[in-house]
Amino acid sequence: MINWVLAATLICGASVFTSCSSNDDNPAPAPKSDIAEKIIGKWMVEELDGQPCPTNLKAVITFLSPTKAYGSLSDFYSDSWNNHASADVVIDGNNVTLTASENEHTKHITVAEIHSITDKDMLLKSDWKVYTDDKMVINEVYDNERYIRIYNDFEKGIIGTWEGKVTSAEDEHTDGELHRWEYKADGTYVYYNKVGDEWVNNNDALAEYFVDGILLCTRWKKTADSEELREWWEIESIKDGVMKWTALRLREDGTTYTATFQMTKLRIQ
């Protein structure tokens, strides 16, 4: 499985051999003493070179301590599906180095130069390298990334059966009709079609999801031989049996729009 540190190559929407960069001057560095203390917690990419990041390209990184982290990323283009993948962390001044092994031959190293860090957001520049048998095969540098701190984690709150529909005027993934999902604790889900007045199990060959913080990623295949499909949302809230989603979508012409979805939790007898 491709490790979550590949997020840097994916969030720019380009091939792994094309560098993303900016001509903007870097902000003043964060005080060195702040990094180890303030970086602890959960972060999600929000902007790339001043532009909002579409939901389907977002990654979540959680620093458990100054030496350990895990990350989550679902990306359709590379087939990566990384749910809480672990990494070692080294903090040296303003540089934060994350190291993770994909397998015994391939290692990923990302060095993030922290420009500023607060209770709300973190600005950084990242340098990502991939080594195969100790030979560097990929090197990408990304300027002016912005991460926001995530305080909510809906991993357990989503478990159960929900019914709802899109509440925005536009969304590529839904048709405006009521839909029903049963999210299970093992990372699988059941999608139900409505046939007449009855809800019928769709019996998909693959139906998996994960939630990390507020990021919800799903993937499914109708049959074993069919194309794998994916869908991405950000959970805005779960309160009083109502769950609200939002997502920034990118149209083919490069413009963006915000999709919204609302679901009600069902009491299944």
Side-chain angles (χ1 to χ4, degrees), residues 164-185:
K165 63 180 182 179
V166 66
T167 51
S168 55
E170 181 180 1
D171 186 49
E172 62 182 299
H173 294 289
T174 53
D175 55 13
E177 301 296 327
L178 282 174
H179 296 270
R180 184 176 288 187
W181 291 264
E182 178 187 356
Y183 294 101
K184 300 182 179 182

Side-chain angles (χ1 to χ4, degrees), residues 94-160:
N94 294 322
N95 291 329
V96 179
T97 302
L98 301 102
T99 302
S101 296
E102 180 179 338
N103 52 50
E104 61 183 77
H105 298 287
T106 305
K107 179 170 61 177
H108 304 264
I109 299 177
T110 298
V111 179
E113 180 184 345
I114 308 299
H115 297 153
S116 67
I117 184 168
T118 70
D119 292 338
K120 295 182 179 180
D121 59 14
M122 176 169 56
L123 303 180
L124 58 92
K125 173 182 178 180
S126 65
D127 185 338
W128 172 71
K129 295 181 174 69
V130 178
Y131 296 86
T132 299
D133 294 328
D134 296 325
K135 179 181 179 181
M136 188 176 70
V137 293
I138 297 174
N139 183 200
E140 296 291 341
V141 178
Y142 303 88
D143 292 336
N144 299 328
E145 298 180 42
R146 176 174 173 253
Y147 282 71
I148 60 171
R149 190 184 294 273
I150 302 298
Y151 293 97
N152 292 321
D153 195 337
F154 295 113
E155 182 178 2
K156 294 182 179 179
I158 196 175
I159 295 172

Side-chain angles (χ1 to χ4, degrees), residues 7-16 18 20 48 53-54 56-57 75 77 142 250:
T9 62
L10 303 172
I11 54 182
C12 288
S15 75
V16 295
T18 303
C20 299
L48 301 168
C53 181
N56 66 311
L57 299 178
D75 183 82
Y77 305 103
Y142 303 88
L250 185 65

Side-chain angles (χ1 to χ4, degrees), residues 82-100:
N82 301 293
N83 179 7
H84 296 69
S86 62
D88 294 323
V89 180
V90 174
I91 298 177
D92 181 12
N94 294 322
N95 291 329
V96 179
T97 302
L98 301 102
T99 302

